[in-house]
Amino acid sequence: MIEIDEIINSIQEIICKAKKNSTLHFDELAYIFSTSKSESYIRDNLAMLLQKKYRDLIIAREYLDKDLQSGKSNERFDICVIERTTENYIKPLQIIELKNWYCHDIRQKKVWTAVEEDLNKINNLSIRTGSIIGGIVVVTFTHVMGELTNLHSGIIKYQEDIYKDLQRKSSYKYPEDILKYFESKLGSDFCIKEIKTDQGMYQERLVINYFYVISKK
């Protein structure tokens, strides 16, 4: 099993690499997180980085858990750390799930529901396999700032919702209220760690990302 601090270090490496690829007016993270499904970007880079570091383990970019009796697929997981115990047998050791939201989404129950569903999926996999499987959920939030421009909302996702959040009189404070949100939901069995990033520009909009890593103690 890979230590949580090593996973955090690997995510920080991905962030640093993205920042090195950025310019004054084009930030790689700002571009990825404000325009597309960014979970895939983090998943792929994290899986590749971990596979390079841990040659004796299998790091699956997507893991499909199958019912051995029916042969039908049950559930898919974003990243699975796997041990090859014999030539024909592999054993899942750890699951890493990824979720991305916009900052204004913390006003809604769906954020915690999604995290809870991932944790339950991992727990159910432990029950099915009869072994303790480590679970980590990486949750990222994107905060797009600045005035509404004529940039089409089909390019920067959910631009109207972003603008409404910026105009609210009782606007949330980011990242403080994100951490408060999770701390109010997580029990004493879990810990949450924040990864800080620097803000960047895309299409003259200032964007900052907040990363949170949730795991059992």
Side-chain angles (χ1 to χ4, degrees):
M1 197 174 298
I2 302 173
E3 295 292 332
I4 186 169
D5 286 342
E6 180 53 44
I7 291 171
I8 289 173
N9 289 340
S10 296
I11 293 172
Q12 289 173 327
E13 285 184 49
I14 294 167
I15 293 168
C16 288
K17 184 178 178 182
K19 291 300 181 182
K20 286 180 181 178
N21 291 338
S22 301
T23 65
L24 180 62
H25 299 290
F26 174 84
D27 184 88
E28 188 168 306
L29 289 181
Y31 174 70
I32 291 293
F33 279 86
S34 62
T35 61
S36 184
K37 193 169 182 178
S38 53
E39 298 99 317
S40 298
Y41 173 89
I42 298 297
R43 182 199 66 186
D44 293 349
N45 280 282
L46 180 57
M48 286 189 292
L49 194 53
L50 292 176
Q51 187 63 88
K52 289 177 182 177
K53 292 180 178 180
Y54 297 91
R55 295 174 59 186
D56 294 335
L57 296 172
I58 299 170
I59 311 296
R61 279 175 53 234
E62 184 177 61
Y63 178 68
L64 175 63
D65 177 52
K66 287 188 176 182
D67 186 317
L68 296 177
Q69 292 182 341
S70 67
K72 295 180 180 179
S73 62
N74 287 329
E75 291 180 305
R76 294 180 183 272
F77 299 88
D78 288 333
I79 295 177
C80 185
V81 179
I82 302 168
E83 178 186 25
R84 185 180 292 281
T85 55
T86 66
E87 186 176 344
N88 298 316
Y89 182 75
I90 58 174
K91 177 184 177 182
L93 300 176
Q94 190 174 32
I95 296 291
I96 304 171
E97 287 290 301
L98 299 104
K99 287 286 183 289
N100 180 53
W101 302 96
Y102 282 84
C103 282
H104 59 260
D105 287 324
I106 64 166
R107 296 174 182 273
Q108 303 178 54
K109 186 180 177 181
K110 64 181 181 180
V111 175
W112 174 246
T113 299
V115 172
E116 204 169 30
E117 286 174 353
D118 282 341
L119 292 172
N120 287 335
K121 273 174 57 180
I122 297 166
N123 185 58
N124 290 336
L125 181 62
S126 293
I127 294 170
R128 286 197 298 273
T129 58
S131 59
I132 298 174
I133 296 175
I136 291 174
V137 180
V138 180
V139 189
T140 60
F141 288 86
T142 302
H143 188 27
V144 182
M145 296 167 279
E147 294 298 320
L148 184 69
T149 67
N150 61 358
L151 185 62
H152 194 274
S153 60
I155 299 171
I156 286 188
K157 293 174 67 178
Y158 311 118
Q159 183 168 238
E160 290 183 4
D161 292 334
I162 293 166
Y163 184 64
K164 286 177 183 177
D165 186 54
L166 292 171
Q167 299 303 306
R168 281 191 174 100
K169 291 182 179 179
S170 58
S171 182
Y172 278 22
K173 292 182 180 180
Y174 309 126
E176 294 88 348
D177 286 324
I178 298 174
L179 196 56
K180 287 179 184 177
Y181 175 88
F182 281 120
E183 287 176 341
S184 70
K185 305 288 185 183
L186 289 169
S188 57
D189 291 340
F190 291 89
C191 68
I192 181 169
K193 295 190 178 183
E194 181 182 10
I195 303 174
K196 297 185 182 298
T197 68
D198 294 327
Q199 60 192 24
M201 296 289 292
Y202 173 62
Q203 294 292 339
E204 299 181 359
R205 299 292 292 274
L206 198 59
V207 180
I208 190 165
N209 304 104
Y210 305 108
F211 287 70
Y212 297 89
V213 181
I214 298 170
S215 65
K216 269 198 169 184
K217 291 181 180 177

